[in-house]
Amino acid sequence: MSVSRVWLQSFNEPDVMYWLQNEPLFGAQAVMLDGNYTFGGLRPQLTRLAAAGVKYVAPPIGQLIASNPNGTGLVPSGYAAAAIAVGMKVITWTVERNYECWPAEASTRATPPCKGMNELELIDALYKMGVVGVFSDWPATTTFYASCMIAKREYAQPETAALGPRPAWLVNNLAPSPLKTTLSSCLADASFVPKPHDFSIGHRGACLQYPEHTAESYQAAIEQGAGIVECDMAVTKDGEIVCRHDQCDLHTSTNILATPLAAKCSIPFQAANATHDARVSCCTSDLTLAEFKTLCGRMDSAKARATSAADYISMANTAPFRTDLFSDAHDGPTVCPTLVTHKESIAMINAAGRKFTPELKTYYPWPGSLTYDQVRQKVRAAGAREPRPCLSSCF
C-alpha cells in the first residue's frame, strides 16, 4: 500500500499532529475531522491548522452552509472558501443524512434545510463550493455525479462502476434545471461509462444497504465506484485493530446480545423500566480478536424502551432509510455479514485498486493495553510499504 493512497483521519487534533510530526509521509495527507463546529468561517483555527501542515479538513455538511433568509436553497457559510484561502482542501459527510445538514448557527430550526432536497442538488452545491470529496452511505450517487460532471479530472479511475437504479431515480425526480439536463444527457448517452472516482468516498462502506464496516459493505462500496473507502478503527482486548464505528458499539452494530459473548459486555443488558431506558454497553475492548471475529454485523439500531435483549436488537428497530435485506435472517437462511480487521480491510480495498481513509477514534487505554502512541503507530504499520509517486491526483 502506497502512502499516496492513504488519508488518515481523526476528530482528535493530537492524532493528526502526531502523524505529521512522527510519520510525515502518512501525515502529509492526514484529515482533521471537524465535529465540534469550532473551525467555521474565518476563525483562526483554520489558519493555525494550515500553518501546522494540515492539508485536509472535513466538516459536516451543516458547517458548510448558512441559513438562507429567503428560506429556499443553500447558502455557503464561507467555511470552504476560508479553508481554500489558507491552502486547505475540504471533504464532507454525508449526503444521505438530513440531520447532518443543520447550519451551525441555526441548530434550533424545526426543519434542516436539506430535508427533502434531492441528493444530486446537494452534491452539486457542495462541489461548486470547492469540496473535493464527499462521504456517502450509498456511493453510487456520488460516483454517478463525479462520472458525469467531473469525469475529466485526473483522479477518475479506469474501472467501471455498477450504479444500480438509484442515480436514474434521483435524476428523474429533479425539478427542471441545467443540472437535470446535464445529468439526464449522461443517462441517455450510450457511450457514458460510470467510473470509480476519488470524489466518491464510501462512508463505513455502503452502510445504507449493508451493515457498516463489514466485508459486504466494503465490497458494495467498491462495486458502486467509491474511489476511497473508510475503515473506522477500534482496538480489541488483545490489542488488534478492527473496523468499527465506535469503541463501544457492538450492542447496536453486531449480534453480540444474541450470543454467549453478551456476558462479557462492559455493561450487560438491563431492561428499560419506569425510571430509565434500556442500558447496555458492549465494547470491542471487551473481546479478543478471535471472539470479535465470531460476531455478525447488523444494521446499527436499537430500541431505547426495550424490555429484553431480543427486543433491543430486533430488525423492527432498523431506521426506514436502511434495509435489512442483506443484514440478518430475512425470509430465508441466516446471513452473517463479516466483521473485518483493519489489515483485512486494507487487503480487500487494495485488491480492488481503491484508496483508503482509516479513521482513528479517540482511544482510551486500559491497564495493560497498548499506549495511545502504540495504537497510532500500529495504524500506520498495518499497511505500510515503501512509498511511490501518486500516479493519479490525490484529491
Side-chain angles (χ1 to χ4, degrees):
M1 180 182 69
S2 166
V3 296
S4 65
R5 298 171 60 206
V6 181
W7 286 264
L8 296 165
Q9 52 172 323
S10 179
F11 285 101
N12 188 30
E13 188 174 330
D15 291 338
V16 175
M17 295 306 163
Y18 176 89
W19 288 319
L20 279 168
Q21 294 163 10
N22 297 286
E23 305 283 355
L25 291 175
F26 273 80
Q29 293 186 165
V31 179
M32 183 70 234
L33 294 166
D34 178 5
N36 296 318
Y37 306 96
T38 55
F39 302 147
L42 297 174
R43 296 178 187 177
Q45 288 92 332
L46 285 171
T47 301
R48 177 179 57 78
L49 288 170
V54 180
K55 293 183 172 64
Y56 297 91
V57 65
I61 290 171
Q63 192 67 16
L64 296 172
I65 61 176
S67 299
N68 188 344
N70 297 324
T72 58
L74 298 180
V75 176
S77 66
Y79 185 114
I84 293 167
V86 296
M88 301 179 78
K89 296 181 180 180
V90 181
I91 60 179
T92 190
W93 74 86
T94 146
V95 295
E96 293 83 7
R97 303 183 184 208
N98 287 322
Y99 62 81
E100 288 175 342
C101 198
W102 285 108
E105 86 288 0
S107 58
T108 59
R109 286 176 51 181
T111 304
C114 297
K115 186 173 180 60
M117 186 176 186
N118 190 295
E119 289 163 20
L120 290 168
E121 292 177 310
L122 177 55
I123 294 167
D124 188 56
L126 294 168
Y127 178 67
K128 289 175 179 175
M129 289 180 202
V131 171
V132 297
V134 177
F135 282 95
S136 176
D137 296 343
W138 198 313
T141 309
T142 41
T143 299
F144 168 68
Y145 178 88
S147 293
C148 183
M149 304 294 289
I150 52 178
K152 300 300 182 183
R153 298 286 287 271
E154 292 178 359
Y155 49 87
Q157 298 186 19
E159 302 88 351
T160 59
L163 301 182
R166 183 174 176 81
W169 179 79
L170 288 169
V171 172
N172 291 335
N173 281 279
L174 281 169
S177 66
L179 176 63
K180 181 171 185 175
T181 298
T182 301
L183 295 176
S184 297
S185 69
C186 286
L187 292 174
D189 183 355
S191 66
F192 172 70
V193 179
K195 294 180 179 293
H197 203 287
D198 291 359
F199 182 81
S200 178
I201 306 172
H203 185 237
R204 311 180 202 175
C207 64
L208 285 191
Q209 295 168 286
Y210 293 83
E212 62 190 44
H213 296 308
T214 60
E216 291 77 8
S217 188
Y218 292 154
Q219 184 60 37
I222 289 166
E223 292 178 1
Q224 292 176 31
I228 304 170
V229 182
E230 177 193 45
C231 165
D232 293 320
M233 294 175 289
V235 182
T236 64
K237 186 176 183 179
D238 49 351
E240 297 300 324
I241 297 179
V242 299
C243 298
R244 285 290 91 200
H245 183 251
D246 291 304
Q247 186 68 28
C248 295
D249 71 354
L250 298 183
H251 51 288
T252 64
S253 66
T254 76
N255 67 336
I256 190 171
L257 294 182
T259 77
L261 291 173
K264 297 197 170 189
C265 291
S266 295
I267 302 176
F269 180 81
Q270 301 171 30
N273 60 31
T275 61
H276 64 76
D277 288 341
R279 294 172 178 170
V280 61
S281 180
C282 303
C283 303
T284 298
S285 50
D286 293 331
L287 307 180
T288 65
L289 177 61
E291 291 168 335
F292 173 86
K293 290 288 286 182
T294 68
L295 299 177
C296 301
R298 58 183 291 272
M299 281 296 185
D300 189 26
S301 63
K303 181 179 179 180
R305 300 300 299 165
T307 56
S308 69
D311 188 25
Y312 188 85
I313 63 173
S314 168
M315 287 196 304
N317 305 324
T318 301
F321 54 83
R322 291 174 170 157
T323 176
D324 273 311
L325 185 61
F326 311 112
S327 67
D328 209 337
H330 190 90
D331 297 330
T334 298
V335 176
C336 182
T338 310
L339 304 191
V340 295
T341 66
H342 182 215
K343 286 184 178 179
E344 288 170 338
S345 77
I346 289 172
M348 184 176 188
I349 297 165
N350 195 48
R354 306 303 164 79
K355 300 174 185 177
F356 313 82
T357 182
E359 178 184 338
L360 179 58
K361 300 295 185 178
T362 300
Y363 173 69
Y364 299 99
W366 57 92
S369 70
L370 298 176
T371 66
Y372 210 147
D373 281 355
Q374 285 175 322
V375 170
R376 290 166 172 151
Q377 293 163 7
K378 202 175 181 79
V379 169
R380 180 251 190 266
R385 195 178 72 183
E386 286 301 311
R388 57 179 171 78
C390 195
L391 300 180
S392 59
S393 171
C394 299
F395 280 126

